[in-house]
């Protein structure tokens, strides 16, 4: 028996091969690996080396040809696509949930003949709440109709129906809620809520009507319908400073030069169709928000073109930056027209803290027109070139001076100063 086991174990021992057999087996194994890697789309390059004793060894190196997983640079969206995603006005119909109806039932239990009424009340309907959220930038996600959740009906054994859950509508900061043209609420603070429509009250079960005079009431009331309203939501850009100027004055290029914002830039007027907000950062970690307001034309206060929809975004700005195009024949007249349009839209709007920016100083005729402009204007003028970045440091420093004055209460804003 012992001899049989030793014979079997000897057969299981690994056979010994000569050095040439080992090289051949290694070569065949590498070739098999080469075929397998090529089947899965992996590159393989064998390298042959000759040793001193004349025996060739095989070493392999393979490279995985997969797609690079690095984050590609995000492509800038065109102004046409930005227009689809940015919505600054919505008309919504809000219908709150109705209350659940009350139950009419009587207690039924063995050996308890006169159990009495035990119908529970219905649940209240869900309300609809409009909430300001700083992470929401547009009214594009707001749908035309909102319907609140209805309350559930009451049941026997004095079981009350479940109340409907409230529904929240998240809107950007600076959203104004209007009804029939009159402002209802201004949502300017993160987390501010406005209860737009109330849910209906739940109906009463017959247990509610139990009294000494009526010991077996059969009455149960239905729930009341929820409140219904039609509201207008208007977004007014929340920014510290607003770039105001005629079309093609270089406002978008200037915003790109002083901040990380990337609005569309082109050599034709009305390139910017929606306001863009850029953040100017300072070394002390203060941040100033600058809004690029689309170009204003003459008669904008009469809603000529898209005037009122553009002027609406200037109301929030605490100080103004008038951008004048020095390539125009008479740029000093542009300042008068801009102030006139602002005052016609809202009296005193052009009197807010402001700065006059003479743009396109890289042109040959800009210096001559700058001297003429200084003779017409007594205020400080900051000459810059948005294309080359000339003198943008002075603009950023003056912007900080206006911001510090706003924080100290010198600005025309009311309430707590806005910080970004």
């Amino acid at each position: 028996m012992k001899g049989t086991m030793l014979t079997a174990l000897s057969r299981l021992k690994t056979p010994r091969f000569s050095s040439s057999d080992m090289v051949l087996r290694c070569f065949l194994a590498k070739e098999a690996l080469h075929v397998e890697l090529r089947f899965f789309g992996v590159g393989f390059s064998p390298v042959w080396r000759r040793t001193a004793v004349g025996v060739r060894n095989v070493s392999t190196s393979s490279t995985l040809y997969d797609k690079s997983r690095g984050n590609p640079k995000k492509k800038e969206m065109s102004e046409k696509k930005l227009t689809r995603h940015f919505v600054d006005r919505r008309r919504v119909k809000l219908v709150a949930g109705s209350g659940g109806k009350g139950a009419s039932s009587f207690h039924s239990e063995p050996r308890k003949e006169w159990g009495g009424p035990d119908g529970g009340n219905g649940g209240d309907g869900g309300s609809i709440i409009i909430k300001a959220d700083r992470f929401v930038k547009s009214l594009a996600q707001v749908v035309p109709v909102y319907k609140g959740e209805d309350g559930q009906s009451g049941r026997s054994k004095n079981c009350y129906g479940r109340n409907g859950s409230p529904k929240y509508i998240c809107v950007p900061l600076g959203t104004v809620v209007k009804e029939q043209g009159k402002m209802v609420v201004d949502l300017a603070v993160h987390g501010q809520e406005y209860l737009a429509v109330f849910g209906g009250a739940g109906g009463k079960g017959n247990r509610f009507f139990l009294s000494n005079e009526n010991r077996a009431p059969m009455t149960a009331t239905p729930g009341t319908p929820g409140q219904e309203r039609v509201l207008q939501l208007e977004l007014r850009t929340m920014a510290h400073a607003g770039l105001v100027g005629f079309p093609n004055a270089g406002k978008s290029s200037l915003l790109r030069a002083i901040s990380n914002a990337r609005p569309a830039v082109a050599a034709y007027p009305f390139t910017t169709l929606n306001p863009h907000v850029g953040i100017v950062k300072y070394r002390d970690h203060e941040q100033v928000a600058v809004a690029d307001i689309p170009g204003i034309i003459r008669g904008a206060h009469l809603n000529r073109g898209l005037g009122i929809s553009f002027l609406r975004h200037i109301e929030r700005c605490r100080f103004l930056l008038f951008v004048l195009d020095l390539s125009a024949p008479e740029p000093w007249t542009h300042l008068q027209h801009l102030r006139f349009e602002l005052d016609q839209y809202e009296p005193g709007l052009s009197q807010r803290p402001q700065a006059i920016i003479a743009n396109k100083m890289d042109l040959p005729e800009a210096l001559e027109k700058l001297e003429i402009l200084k003779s017409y204007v007594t205020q400080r003028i900051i000459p810059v070139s948005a294309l080359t970045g000339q003198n943008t440091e002075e603009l950023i420093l003056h912007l900080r001076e206006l911001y510090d004055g706003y924080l100290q209460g010198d600005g025309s804003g009311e309430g707590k100063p806005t910080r970004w």
Side-chain angles (χ1 to χ4, degrees):
M1 183 66 180
K2 184 176 180 180
T4 306
M5 293 181 61
L6 290 176
T7 305
L9 289 175
S10 63
R11 294 178 180 176
L12 295 177
K13 289 183 179 181
T14 304
R16 296 182 179 179
F17 299 96
S18 62
S19 60
S20 59
D21 293 339
M22 289 293 294
V23 172
L24 181 61
R25 289 173 60 86
C26 182
F27 174 76
L28 294 177
K30 296 300 181 181
E31 285 295 319
L33 178 61
H34 182 198
V35 174
E36 184 177 358
L37 291 176
R38 290 189 60 183
F39 177 78
F40 288 101
V42 179
F44 180 84
S45 59
V47 179
W48 299 85
R49 297 174 184 172
R50 183 177 297 274
T51 61
V53 296
V55 180
R56 294 191 291 182
N57 298 329
V58 180
S59 65
T60 61
S61 62
S62 60
T63 305
L64 296 179
Y65 294 97
D66 57 349
K67 295 182 180 179
S68 60
R69 298 188 180 182
N71 293 329
K73 186 177 180 180
K74 187 176 180 181
K75 295 183 179 180
E76 298 180 6
M77 298 181 64
S78 63
E79 190 67 26
K80 185 176 181 181
K81 292 183 178 180
L82 288 173
T83 305
R84 299 174 186 172
H85 297 285
F86 184 86
V87 178
D88 59 356
R89 179 177 293 183
R90 282 292 194 194
R91 180 181 180 272
V92 294
K93 180 180 180 181
L94 307 179
V95 181
S98 302
K101 59 182 180 180
S104 177
S105 63
F106 289 88
H107 185 70
S108 177
E109 187 178 347
R111 298 180 299 274
K112 202 169 185 180
E113 185 177 357
W114 310 102
D118 65 350
N121 300 338
D124 298 333
S127 304
I128 300 179
I129 302 173
I130 302 177
K131 183 177 180 180
D133 189 351
R134 64 182 179 182
F135 299 105
V136 180
K137 303 302 180 183
S138 172
L139 296 175
Q141 77 284 354
V142 179
V143 298
V145 180
Y146 284 91
K147 178 70 171 66
E149 183 182 358
D150 295 335
Q152 294 185 355
S153 303
R155 297 186 179 183
S156 58
K157 299 182 181 179
N158 295 321
C159 292
Y160 283 36
R162 185 173 66 85
N163 297 332
S165 301
K167 180 170 292 186
Y168 288 87
I169 304 175
C170 294
V171 297
L173 298 182
T175 301
V176 177
V177 182
K178 293 184 177 181
E179 186 176 16
Q180 297 180 355
K182 297 182 179 180
M183 189 177 69
V184 179
V185 66
D186 184 2
L187 303 175
V189 182
H190 176 67
Q192 183 179 356
E193 298 180 357
Y194 172 65
L195 184 56
V197 287
F198 292 90
K204 304 299 181 181
N206 62 341
R207 174 73 181 181
F208 177 82
F209 299 97
L210 178 64
S211 62
N212 293 332
E213 290 78 13
N214 187 3
R215 303 303 299 174
M218 302 286 294
T219 305
T221 60
T224 58
Q227 188 181 5
E228 183 176 341
R229 297 174 71 181
V230 177
L231 301 177
Q232 293 83 32
L233 305 180
E234 292 184 0
L235 174 59
R236 299 176 181 176
T237 304
M238 296 284 292
H240 298 119
L243 297 174
V244 184
F246 276 87
N248 206 24
K251 301 181 295 297
S252 299
S253 301
L254 187 60
L255 184 64
R256 294 170 69 103
I258 64 176
S259 70
N260 291 330
R262 290 295 177 264
V265 176
Y268 53 85
F270 292 106
T271 306
T272 303
L273 302 178
N274 292 301
H276 298 271
V277 178
I279 305 299
V280 181
K281 299 181 181 180
Y282 295 89
R283 292 183 178 180
D284 57 351
H285 306 290
E286 281 287 359
Q287 297 181 353
V288 179
V290 182
D292 175 20
I293 308 298
I296 299 175
I297 63 175
R298 298 180 184 180
H301 67 281
L302 302 175
N303 203 20
R304 187 170 297 171
L306 296 175
I308 291 181
S309 61
F310 291 169
L311 291 170
R312 183 174 65 249
H313 295 280
I314 306 179
E315 296 183 43
R316 299 284 186 180
C317 301
R318 296 302 94 198
F319 38 93
L320 307 177
L321 303 177
F322 290 101
V323 182
L324 302 182
D325 182 8
L326 293 187
S327 65
E330 296 180 349
W332 45 88
T333 60
H334 291 184
L335 181 61
Q336 301 175 0
H337 292 304
L338 290 174
R339 288 176 174 174
F340 175 77
E341 295 296 334
L342 296 182
D343 288 334
Q344 291 297 317
Y345 176 73
E346 180 181 335
L349 184 59
S350 66
Q351 303 302 321
R352 295 184 180 181
Q354 57 190 253
I356 301 176
I357 303 173
N359 193 18
K360 302 185 180 180
M361 287 298 300
D362 54 298
L363 299 178
E365 67 275 9
L367 290 175
E368 180 182 355
K369 293 182 180 179
L370 178 62
E371 297 299 329
I372 301 176
L373 178 62
K374 290 181 178 179
S375 63
Y376 282 94
V377 180
T378 59
Q379 297 174 341
R380 179 181 178 181
I381 301 176
I382 304 177
V384 299
S385 174
L387 180 63
T388 62
Q390 175 187 350
N391 205 29
T392 55
E393 297 83 1
E394 182 181 355
L395 172 61
I396 294 175
L397 293 177
H398 185 64
L399 188 64
R400 180 59 187 272
E401 294 176 4
L402 296 174
Y403 176 73
D404 292 339
Y406 161 64
L407 292 182
Q408 295 173 5
D410 297 337
S412 60
E414 299 179 357
K416 186 179 179 181
T418 303
R419 286 182 179 271
W420 283 69

